[in-house]
Amino acid sequence: MVTAHVRYALALALTSACCVMAVVAAVAWSDDQVGLATPALFTIDELDRLDLGSEALDDQMRWSAEIVNGDRRMTEADRAARFAPPFAESLTAASFNAEIDALNAELGEARFVRIIDVEDQIVAFLAATDAGPALTIAFELDDDGRFTFWAGVDSTTGARLPGWASGLALAAAWTATAASVAAWWASARRQAWVLLALAIAATSLVLVLAPSTVLYALGRTVPFVAIPLATWLLLSPARSAVRRHAAVWSWVAAAGFGAATFALDPRAIGHPSLPALADEGSATLRATLALAAICTAVAFSVVVAEHGRLLRPHADRTVGWSRPARAAAAVVATLGIVVAIVTAIDVVDGDAQFAGDVGRGAALVLLCAIPPVALFRAVSARWDRPELAGLVIELEAGAASLDHAVSAAIGGPVAVLRSPDGKLLVDSAGEVVDPESLGAGVELVRVQSDGALVGALTCPTDATERRRLEAIAAAVGLALRIELLHEQVAEQLAEVRASRARIVEASDAARRQIERNLHDGAQQRLVGLGMLLQAARRRSSRTADDELTALLDTATDEVRTSIAEIRSVSRGAPPPLLTERGLSAAVGALAERAPIPVDIAAPAQRLPDRVETTAFYVVAEGLTNVAKHSHASNAAVSIVRDDGYAVVRIVDDGRGGARSGPGTGLEGLEDRVAALGGELIVTSGDGGTTLEATLPCG
Amino acid sequence: MIVADDSALIRDGLARLLLDEDIDVAARLPDATELLERVSELRPDAVIVDVRMPPSFRTEGLEAAIDVRREHPDTAVLVLSQHIETRYAIELLADGAAGVGYLLKDRVTELDEFLDALRRVVAGGTAIDPAVVTRLVERPRRNDPMERLSEREREVLALMAEGHSNAAIAERLVVNVRTAESHVGSILTKLDLLPDAPIDRRVRAVVLWLQAHPEPDET
């Protein structure tokens, strides 16, 4: 099993490789300006034997060879001495060609190309080896028959790849570019990134190893499509207007760079002898470069600004671009702006060569930035899904506003609709939303959970790629379902609480009724009966009927026992005293019956009946436990009314060990307290037991 | 005599018992609403009132009895209660203990005790139910001053609280009156109570003392 770490490492390696390729390609692209790519790796020993019929010319050739070989560095003095005319010797095309032919014959192969006379120039291609770059030496013949000597190396003709391979790479680059356009069109952003990275890699291959200038030139055209597309992708998901502007800017920039590059370096599109489209100092060229640079700066500034805004909607969020990525983007944007300024200055006063260098430098940075960004976007989309992860984290943490969280994840204004009944969609204001009435450019994404419609998202059409949208919808579905379940549970809980309270009240009322019936009915009758028996006994004792008197005494005793039994039925129930004199009096009566001294602190004012009854039960149970189990020597009861709550506390200094559990009096008490919406806490330890009930009492 | 009780059985039974004892029952009332009026009108020696009576079955009887005590101090009141509530006894004694009785209703089945209590009350004495007194006496106390009393003294104290005279106490404990008197004197000294007060003030003082120790932290 490949772990995420290994996959991450692979992605990093791939990205780095692409980056290196891109740098090499970019350098190769601007070789003749920067000169870094000139691989002066061949030795032209043959030049020593070259006899052009002129000591000075031969010397010049040998010197050129040394320069080309890197054995010697060219100084300003050299430039003045070597490149300055005149070479007084007369050399015609014919005599030069004769020399070349002789040399080739001597070497046994056609290593040197003959002189081509183009207008006033004589150009010689000295193809030194099959694989290496060619030394180009040009002699300019002036009116006086003198030669001006030019030497240079063109690496582009030093093919490392066979033509078919290079062609294949070029085809791959263009195919990948086209496919990335298609993928982007189909909202498959991740695939577009991968294809784009592939295109850049293939392009790099062509630029470095192309066997011909034609292939090379064609390779250079790929970035002109790839750069704007990358810009577009970077901006997705962004507001469409911003994305459109940035893409237009970057396309203009790419076109400007293209035009300027070709103008400066005609050999890039084919033959070295082609003339420049514009004079190096021409205003048109400079303006083109300036425009391109400014467009680049604008495009990248927009990219950075948009990402800064879109991916980091909250300053404290760690979701979105990492700090290094944002820093890199900022550097690129700044570079673009600097280039724009430099170029703008250059347009007013400067030489086009410098402007060209700066322009190419900016393009180079662009080109280098794309592959790593592309790959990391792809990788992070696959393994991190940072926005999605951020959404899930926000939802889990209980996002204050679902709309806000989802908007941040999608990157566009999103409204979350809810469907309490699984049919109608309702917005946050509670208004029913008709899906048909949504405006153009707004898409309705239905959110389902467990097969039932729970809501929907309205978001800008094409705000993000389809699969991501589905993932976000799924996350929102979970959140909405949880929300729905919460509401249902809360409703049911309230229902259950109310019903529990009703049950407790009903049972209390029933108990009171039974007790009243017993006391006012049966007990009264028994008392009356006892009285009659006593009356009868008195008479019998007067008539000295001892047997009858004894009988009546027994009957009276039975009556008394019955009365006591009836009285015991109501033991533990709130006495009439509670309703008549209040909680304080009733608790006082409870304390009187306790086997140990009980301090009482209770408010004289009355509380709601339900609260008084429950509080009474709490104190009764608490004091019963104190009497039965605690071995305490002191106890205290306090009832405090505090901010809408009555807090009933029974404290003893006994040995603790009180615990609520099934079948205990405390469990029943907990139910009773909970039925009122209150809470019962038992704290029991070595220092005694505290029973505390908090009862809401409006 | 006026009898006020919502139970006809008890009302009539009580009236018959009293008549048997040659006690005249001037009025029988099913509730407490007219009690004060009838007392003013008939000026009975005593009223026997149930605590709980219509219309609300709360403490109308008790309150009416207290009113009668205030308006007609020479009319004795005997309050019958179905429950032992020391609080009601205390409320009843608030304006003085002369001619006041508070008995558990069951006492009417112990006719001799009942009639004794009634006679005591009518004679301007006091009758507090033994159950109430027991509860007060046995009430747990911190640094219990009752510890200072002997077993016999506690018995005497309970009888004092019930409203018995020294002679009655002596009779009940089967001792001579002098012994009872010395017990009483010793108790009153130990509890810091008035030694020479009349019997009704003595009862009240004793009951209040019993009720007030320990002092509740009423807020």
Side-chain angles (χ1 to χ4, degrees):
Chain A
M1 196 183 117
V2 185
T3 66
H5 286 100
V6 173
R7 284 184 299 186
Y8 237 110
L10 282 174
L12 255 171
L14 198 57
T15 307
S16 308
C18 282
C19 195
V20 169
M21 294 274 274
V23 170
V24 171
V27 166
W29 182 20
S30 53
D31 55 2
D32 46 353
Q33 296 301 322
V34 184
L36 293 175
T38 305
L41 299 174
F42 66 103
T43 310
I44 320 174
D45 294 324
E46 293 85 354
L47 280 176
D48 290 331
R49 301 188 205 155
L50 183 64
D51 183 5
L52 296 173
S54 154
E55 193 61 38
L57 199 53
D58 289 345
D59 176 54
Q60 189 82 352
M61 290 295 269
R62 277 190 291 277
W63 175 83
S64 298
E66 280 171 24
I67 293 289
V68 168
N69 284 333
D71 297 332
R72 175 194 285 275
R73 291 186 67 86
M74 181 157 52
T75 62
E76 278 305 312
D78 283 339
R79 191 185 289 278
R82 297 286 177 177
F83 290 168
F87 294 107
E89 291 78 7
S90 66
L91 182 67
T92 64
S95 63
F96 187 88
N97 281 344
E99 282 290 336
I100 293 295
D101 288 343
L103 192 58
N104 281 344
E106 193 180 326
L107 291 170
E109 52 181 316
R111 301 287 291 276
F112 297 95
V113 180
R114 290 159 63 98
I115 288 175
I116 304 158
D117 189 359
V118 182
E119 291 179 2
D120 288 338
Q121 289 186 332
I122 296 169
V123 178
F125 282 107
L126 303 182
T129 66
D130 288 338
L135 174 65
T136 306
I137 299 173
F139 303 90
E140 192 177 345
L141 190 63
D142 64 13
D143 294 341
D144 303 329
R146 293 172 179 180
F147 288 103
T148 304
F149 179 91
W150 302 98
V153 172
D154 190 346
S155 63
T156 56
T157 52
R160 303 271 181 81
L161 274 184
W164 62 267
S166 214
L168 208 62
L170 187 65
W174 267 111
T175 307
T177 307
S180 70
V181 173
W184 155 73
W185 194 262
S187 290
R189 231 156 42 97
R190 204 167 63 235
Q191 285 83 340
W193 275 122
V194 174
L195 291 166
L196 208 54
L198 190 68
I200 303 287
T203 307
S204 310
L205 212 63
V206 174
L207 292 182
V208 176
L209 303 172
S212 76
T213 51
V214 175
L215 279 172
Y216 175 79
L218 287 175
R220 286 172 67 166
T221 55
V222 176
F224 297 136
V225 178
I227 290 173
L229 187 64
T231 312
W232 183 283
L233 283 173
L234 276 173
L235 279 175
S236 175
R239 279 177 300 142
S240 53
V242 176
R243 190 165 51 178
R244 211 161 36 238
H245 291 155
V248 168
W249 283 112
S250 60
W251 252 305
V252 171
F257 280 130
T261 310
F262 290 145
L264 279 175
D265 186 12
R267 285 169 300 162
I269 55 165
H271 203 276
S273 64
L274 283 179
L277 294 176
D279 186 39
E280 288 211 346
S282 84
T284 317
L285 178 62
R286 282 186 284 151
T288 310
L289 281 169
L291 181 66
I294 290 167
C295 289
T296 308
V298 170
F300 265 79
S301 301
V302 169
V303 169
V304 171
E306 271 305 301
H307 275 289
R309 193 186 68 77
L310 283 172
L311 300 182
R312 292 185 50 79
H314 314 297
D316 57 338
R317 290 273 179 274
T318 51
V319 179
W321 274 18
S322 64
R323 199 167 291 162
R326 286 201 310 280
V331 166
V332 169
T334 314
L335 216 76
I337 293 165
V338 168
V339 165
I341 293 168
V342 167
T343 313
I345 294 168
D346 200 42
V347 167
V348 179
D349 178 30
D351 75 295
Q353 187 61 49
F354 176 62
D357 287 347
V358 173
R360 276 170 224 244
L364 188 144
V365 169
L366 273 179
L367 199 60
C368 293
I370 290 168
V373 169
L375 257 169
F376 259 111
R377 293 286 291 188
V379 166
S380 63
R382 181 160 189 90
W383 289 315
D384 282 358
R385 300 196 172 189
E387 298 93 341
L388 201 53
L391 175 64
V392 173
I393 289 167
E394 280 211 45
L395 293 181
E396 198 279 329
S401 153
L402 201 54
D403 286 9
H404 190 77
V406 178
S407 297
I410 285 188
V414 176
V416 177
L417 308 177
R418 287 164 175 81
S419 180
D421 61 352
K423 291 183 194 119
L424 291 176
L425 292 169
V426 179
D427 65 14
S428 55
E431 301 283 324
V432 174
V433 175
D434 178 10
E436 306 302 322
S437 71
L438 295 171
V442 178
E443 188 182 359
L444 186 84
V445 182
R446 284 171 199 281
V447 176
Q448 296 201 319
S449 181
D450 208 13
L453 183 71
V454 291
L457 307 174
T458 60
C459 59
T461 311
D462 194 26
T464 184
E465 70 183 76
R466 185 54 49 189
R467 283 185 59 185
R468 236 171 68 84
L469 197 57
E470 281 167 9
I472 288 170
V476 171
L478 280 178
L480 288 183
R481 188 165 169 76
I482 289 167
E483 204 176 270
L484 214 61
L485 286 175
H486 266 299
E487 279 165 19
Q488 285 172 357
V489 167
E491 258 172 45
Q492 285 168 358
L493 197 63
E495 188 85 7
V496 167
R497 267 206 191 117
S499 106
R500 188 157 62 169
R502 282 198 299 274
I503 289 169
V504 168
E505 268 178 47
S507 81
D508 283 353
R511 185 172 181 174
R512 270 198 302 276
Q513 189 59 44
I514 290 169
E515 279 160 14
R516 175 170 290 182
N517 288 346
L518 274 178
H519 295 311
D520 295 347
Q523 196 178 332
Q524 294 268 43
R525 278 175 199 283
L526 283 172
V527 170
L529 180 62
M531 222 157 47
L532 291 177
L533 287 171
Q534 283 290 299
R537 184 198 174 277
R538 265 184 122 70
R539 292 201 183 169
S540 73
S541 66
R542 268 180 224 149
T543 56
D545 187 341
D546 289 346
E547 208 173 322
L548 184 61
T549 304
L551 208 57
L552 289 170
D553 275 340
T554 313
T556 311
D557 285 344
E558 283 301 313
V559 167
R560 283 197 200 112
T561 310
S562 303
I563 293 172
E565 278 174 4
I566 287 177
R567 185 166 283 129
S568 72
V569 169
S570 60
R571 192 149 293 150
L577 184 69
L578 179 65
T579 20
E580 286 151 21
R581 291 291 183 271
L583 187 56
S584 174
V587 168
L590 281 176
E592 271 174 12
R593 271 172 265 165
I596 56 166
V598 178
D599 288 329
I600 297 167
Q605 87 240 41
R606 301 295 300 264
L607 298 169
D609 280 353
R610 283 157 29 121
V611 177
E612 285 201 330
T613 305
T614 305
F616 177 84
Y617 275 112
V618 171
V619 176
E621 176 69 26
L623 289 181
T624 303
N625 287 345
V626 169
K628 276 192 197 159
H629 312 297
S630 75
H631 295 259
S633 55
N634 283 293
V637 175
S638 77
I639 298 162
V640 179
R641 201 169 171 171
D642 179 25
D643 194 25
Y645 287 90
V647 181
V648 182
R649 192 181 290 123
I650 299 101
V651 186
D652 70 51
D653 59 357
R655 63 179 182 184
R659 195 171 293 116
S660 173
T664 62
L666 284 176
E667 191 197 31
L669 202 58
E670 272 173 357
D671 289 349
R672 188 177 275 282
V673 169
L676 218 63
E679 193 187 12
L680 185 75
I681 298 169
V682 185
T683 324
S684 197
D686 290 342
T689 300
T690 299
L691 184 68
E692 183 177 298
T694 307
L695 308 167
C697 60
Chain B
M1 189 74 55
I2 293 178
V3 175
D5 195 309
D6 58 307
S7 160
L9 187 65
I10 291 186
R11 201 165 58 227
D12 296 342
L14 204 53
R16 179 179 305 186
L17 279 179
L18 294 173
L19 284 172
D20 277 355
E21 299 299 318
D22 296 327
I23 300 169
D24 183 33
V25 176
R28 304 171 193 183
L29 306 175
D31 57 51
T33 46
E34 296 176 17
L35 184 65
L36 189 60
E37 203 178 312
R38 300 304 295 274
V39 169
S40 308
E41 180 190 328
L42 299 170
R43 307 307 296 262
D45 292 331
V47 291
I48 301 174
V49 193
D50 187 12
V51 170
R52 239 146 70 107
M53 273 196 287
S56 69
F57 290 98
R58 294 174 76 122
T59 50
E60 289 88 349
L62 181 69
E63 273 129 37
I66 291 171
D67 288 344
V68 169
R69 286 288 302 145
R70 290 215 180 109
E71 299 288 320
H72 305 285
D74 48 337
T75 299
V77 296
L78 179 60
V79 175
L80 301 180
S81 171
Q82 292 212 40
H83 304 273
I84 309 165
E85 292 297 0
T86 55
R87 176 157 186 128
Y88 295 159
I90 305 296
E91 285 179 17
L92 206 53
L93 292 178
D95 290 330
V100 174
Y102 177 82
L103 292 184
L104 205 54
K105 208 174 213 177
D106 307 10
R107 297 296 168 213
V108 296
T109 64
E110 292 162 47
L111 208 49
D112 293 336
E113 288 278 322
F114 178 72
L115 291 173
D116 176 49
L118 181 61
R119 287 198 185 96
R120 228 158 57 224
V121 171
V122 171
T126 313
I128 302 297
D129 197 280
V132 173
V133 170
T134 305
R135 183 171 293 176
L136 285 173
V137 169
E138 289 180 357
R139 188 171 179 187
R141 291 171 172 82
R142 211 164 285 133
N143 304 321
D144 195 352
M146 302 289 272
E147 299 285 329
R148 282 176 261 162
L149 304 186
S150 70
E151 193 69 30
R152 177 44 65 97
E153 281 173 340
R154 268 181 244 173
E155 282 174 50
V156 173
L157 178 71
L159 290 170
M160 281 163 69
E162 282 172 35
H164 295 291
S165 65
N166 291 354
I169 292 169
E171 190 188 329
R172 278 170 188 253
L173 296 181
V174 200
V175 294
N176 65 46
V177 177
R178 293 186 67 83
T179 313
E181 277 174 356
S182 90
H183 280 312
V184 169
S186 152
I187 292 165
L188 294 176
T189 310
K190 284 181 183 174
L191 300 186
D192 278 340
L193 291 172
L194 321 159
D196 296 324
I199 186 89
D200 65 298
R201 287 182 62 189
R202 186 177 84 181
V203 174
R204 185 164 173 267
V206 168
V207 170
L208 289 182
W209 184 92
L210 288 170
Q211 196 260 341
H213 286 79
E215 289 162 4
D217 292 334
E218 296 230 6
T219 50

